Amino acid sequence: MMKQFLDVTQQLTKLTNNLWESNKKIQKAMMPPKVVHWKTPLLLSFFLALLSVAAVADLPTRVLMLDISWLFFTLSMGLLTSQKPFVIKGVSISPWVTSFLIGLWLLVRLPADRKEIAWISGPIIAVVILAVIEVWNSESKRESIRSLVRPQFLTIALVHMVFSCWFAFHFLIQGWIQQYPSILSQNLRPSDYVVTFQRPTINRSRGVVILNEMDRYLQKEARTKPWAQVEQMLIDIDNERFFLKNQALSAIGVVPEDASWDVKTSIVQGQSRYQLEMQATWLGLVFRPEIYSYTKSCEIFDAGNRATVTCDAIKSPKPGLKKDGTPGDSQV
């Protein structure tokens, strides 16, 4: 019995010593050898992150502490990558690591319609940090100026400016496509700036999208309302007291291009049936003197006190008509 107790005691002592030695190694690995060291902001970053998660209940304060924690982490990684083995042929990767971490923070914090700022500013931030490092490592003010006009630094700065401009141009093109989605209905294969892997189709034209949404609205009304209410809606459309275009735009959202589309509806009334023709005509700038228009015809009739809607496929003029009424050179 005593021997077993001694064995257990020795094992516990050995385990305690191992834990103590491991603790000393961890402390030695984590503790900075001096105050100005990359481990110092890293420890502050971990401390603030744990404190914000475990002890802070107020959301704005927690977000602020997490932001400061990320700032310290970015500073730590910047200092770490400014030393060997992260220095390649006299140039450290610190500016790019730092700008990447700042860009991640911007992507999280910026609103959805401003996230392109993170991409555009990333290369510029890297150049600014590189310039600060060059000035910091210079022995005198004159030497710092010389370091900033060296061909190597100027080449790096210009390359980064080109990347920043290309990012800005990319988001500019994307903004145009969002504001004028009909661009995607054209053949963009010859373009040097827009890359698309899909064939051009009129289904991407904004006018076609509006007409299809008007068709869907009619189908929905026919399914959910009796014939009398659908008939009254058609009468209101004919008297311009109700506009299908407004209903379509409320469902698909409004973009600046919509102001250049003239959407008209005409109704021919029969006995317990109506013939509705919808036309979307482009009033904006065109490459050729043609009328860019699309039409869609629908027939609405009474079938047992329920409305039934049948619509034809969207049609476009073949060939396109010029604004003076003469035939154009190509199809819309």
Side-chain angles (χ1 to χ4, degrees), residues 149-218:
V149 297
R150 286 187 297 112
Q152 182 182 8
F153 178 81
L154 291 177
T155 302
I156 294 175
L158 291 175
V159 169
H160 282 69
M161 289 297 181
V162 170
F163 275 112
S164 182
C165 290
W166 271 108
F167 284 140
F169 185 67
H170 164 76
F171 288 108
L172 177 65
I173 294 294
Q174 294 301 314
W176 286 347
I177 291 176
Q178 291 178 2
Q179 295 177 1
Y180 301 93
S182 293
I183 295 175
L184 296 176
S185 66
Q186 306 298 319
N187 183 14
L188 301 176
R189 297 283 178 90
S191 174
D192 295 328
Y193 307 107
V194 181
V195 178
T196 179
F197 299 99
Q198 298 181 1
R199 297 178 62 86
T201 171
I202 65 171
N203 292 330
R204 291 189 171 190
S205 173
R206 186 65 176 180
V208 173
V209 172
I210 294 174
L211 294 182
N212 286 333
E213 187 60 37
M214 293 166 67
D215 179 9
R216 279 190 286 270
Y217 182 82
L218 285 175

Side-chain angles (χ1 to χ4, degrees), residues 126-138:
V127 170
V128 171
I129 296 174
L130 183 60
V132 171
I133 293 176
E134 291 285 341
V135 173
W136 183 270
N137 293 334
S138 301

